[in-house]
Amino acid sequence: MLREIKKNVYWVGKTDWEIRKFHGDEYSTHRGTSYNSYLVKDRKTALVDTVWSPFGSEFVRTLEKEVGLDKIDYIIASHAEPDHSGALAELMSRIPDTPVYCTANGAKSLKGHFHKDWNFVPVKTGDTLDLGRCKLLFIEAPLLHWPDSLFSYLTEENILFSNDAFGQHFASGLLFNDLVDQAELYQEGIKYYANILVPFSKLVEKKIDEFKKLNLPLDMICPSHGVIWRDHPSQIVAKYLEWAKDYSENQITIIYDSMWNGTRRMAEALASGIRSTDDKVAVKLFNISRSDKNDVITEVFKSRAILVGSPTINRGILSAVAGFLEQIRGLKFSGKRAAAFGAYGWSGESVKMINDGLEKAGFELLNSGLKSLWNPDDRALDECVGFGKGIAVQSAQRGRETQSSGSRTFP
Ligand code: FEO
């Protein structure tokens, strides 16, 4: 269904209420998502992105019925991931000569996905496409979040089509940011940033700076997932700038797995030590084997420090903790501190392995970690409480230097 979002500009995407796992099994989508595609009807008609392939036929049928496929003069492919390019296969089989505007990397990537030599028109920052009354101004956005990513700005209507940037995995029929629950929107917005954009924070800052220097009026930001930012669209830009600068709130997160509850009891004693020293800091505990990993990553993003624990097993660590360390290695958080802990019975390698993983992930170690032999007794738990007290003090020193305001709502 076409929904007009501004004069002669339509949302023609698909709301996916069912999806609960995205990127294979790598990203949980508790609130579903949407694949936003936009149509600009001017003297020429341009389609900005498509939808994920399972919805390709439905998408093409809707365009055929409500617009007419022969009326589409140009296609803009902002990014080749199949959640946005998936319907191209069917669409291009119907209108094979239609020019596809994308970056040079976009053409490479689309060819790699579809093995078709469509009529690609590679564009660079500053290139424009004249639609009649309006123009599309292209702005390359490499690594936000793929090397092929492209923003397009629609003159006269002052719309930035930002593709994945500023998006959220958030299904809503309400379409616009001012109409949805702000807490839900914030939760999905920060989760999206923490799980997808964190490694590219420096580029986020640079790209926003570059866009601001263009001095273009901005009425709307139309991302490729979730709601459209029409009410103070600069609010999400301000949030991105805040998140891009080594963001943290007054929070310490304890992430662990446990075999016989020894490491869990250590985790709880650590939390008690932290709280007894600082009753303002939010201390959150997650057994990573029983928690949603993307939600935990979001909590890591909000933390000034994390504690990671595992007992030793087979001279190593539990697989859920190993998976978590691999995930944070790739995300490259910066400006955060960490420490390791774990119970052991025989060889006791877990703390060293966790320390190695935390360092590889860019965390600054607060100390060499804490081990507890066998089932922690009262003395061992007292030691954990003392360790927690030290963590509260050490992480607060840095926290005071760099902590953000930690506001939890969009300004
Ligand atoms: Fe929404 Fe990078 O795809």
Side-chain angles (χ1 to χ4, degrees), residues 142-408:
L143 291 175
L144 295 179
H145 69 118
W146 265 25
D148 65 348
S149 300
L150 176 69
F151 293 174
S152 307
Y153 175 83
L154 185 69
T155 65
E156 308 310 315
E157 295 304 328
N158 310 332
I159 297 176
L160 179 68
F161 298 107
S162 61
N163 195 255
D164 281 326
F166 310 117
Q168 336 88 46
H169 287 303
F170 186 19
S172 170
L174 294 169
L175 216 54
F176 296 105
N177 69 309
D178 50 303
L179 300 181
V180 298
D181 182 301
Q182 297 301 293
E184 290 183 359
L185 174 59
Y186 170 79
Q187 179 59 34
E188 294 306 331
I190 195 168
K191 178 177 175 178
Y192 193 93
Y193 192 95
N195 282 273
I196 294 178
L197 287 155
V198 154
F200 313 112
S201 284
K202 291 275 173 293
L203 297 170
V204 167
E205 279 189 79
K206 250 175 99 177
K207 189 53 58 182
I208 290 175
D209 192 44
E210 180 190 323
F211 185 76
K212 280 184 172 170
K213 282 185 181 144
L214 294 175
N215 227 1
L216 297 167
L218 187 62
D219 292 352
M220 217 176 242
I221 297 177
C222 292
S224 56
H225 298 290
V227 295
I228 293 165
W229 301 93
R230 73 171 174 188
D231 178 41
H232 297 93
S234 60
Q235 68 179 284
I236 187 61
V237 179
K239 271 291 167 195
Y240 264 47
L241 284 175
E242 191 183 348
W243 292 338
K245 289 182 172 66
D246 290 355
Y247 182 76
S248 71
E249 298 178 12
N250 191 18
Q251 177 171 329
I252 298 173
T253 303
I254 304 176
I255 300 121
Y256 66 94
D257 196 1
S258 196
M259 292 165 69
W260 297 107
N261 286 324
T263 301
R264 176 185 64 76
R265 290 169 63 233
M266 288 181 78
E268 291 177 3
L270 290 166
S272 150
I274 297 168
R275 279 197 207 98
S276 70
T277 302
D278 181 351
D279 61 2
K280 300 280 190 305
V281 64
V283 185
K284 299 186 185 175
L285 282 76
F286 295 94
N287 180 324
I288 191 66
S289 69
R290 299 177 190 182
S291 306
D292 181 284
K293 59 189 178 185
N294 306 106
D295 292 342
V296 174
I297 289 293
T298 310
E299 298 300 337
V300 170
F301 181 57
K302 296 196 298 192
S303 300
R304 69 188 197 211
I306 64 169
L307 303 181
V308 181
S310 171
T312 297
I313 179 170
N314 297 332
R315 295 183 178 274
I317 55 177
L318 291 174
S319 60
V321 177
F324 167 75
L325 289 173
E326 169 56 19
Q327 201 170 9
I328 58 174
R329 185 199 58 73
L331 288 169
K332 294 185 175 70
F333 290 102
S334 72
K336 296 191 188 294
R337 291 179 159 188
F341 65 97
Y344 71 106
W346 304 110
S347 52
E349 288 91 344
S350 70
V351 164
K352 183 181 178 316
M353 288 187 69
I354 294 169
N355 279 342
D356 290 347
L358 288 168
E359 281 193 309
K360 276 187 199 146
F363 286 75
E364 182 190 340
L365 292 181
L366 286 164
N367 51 48
S368 57
L370 181 65
K371 288 158 72 163
S372 185
L373 183 61
W374 302 118
N375 194 19
D377 59 10
D378 286 349
R379 188 200 54 77
L381 292 176
D382 283 348
E383 199 183 344
C384 291
V385 170
F387 189 88
K389 288 179 178 175
I391 295 290
V393 173
Q394 290 169 296
S395 62
Q397 283 162 354
R398 186 182 179 284
R400 271 194 289 275
E401 287 156 24
T402 61
Q403 208 168 323
S404 80
S405 66
S407 63
R408 287 169 184 256

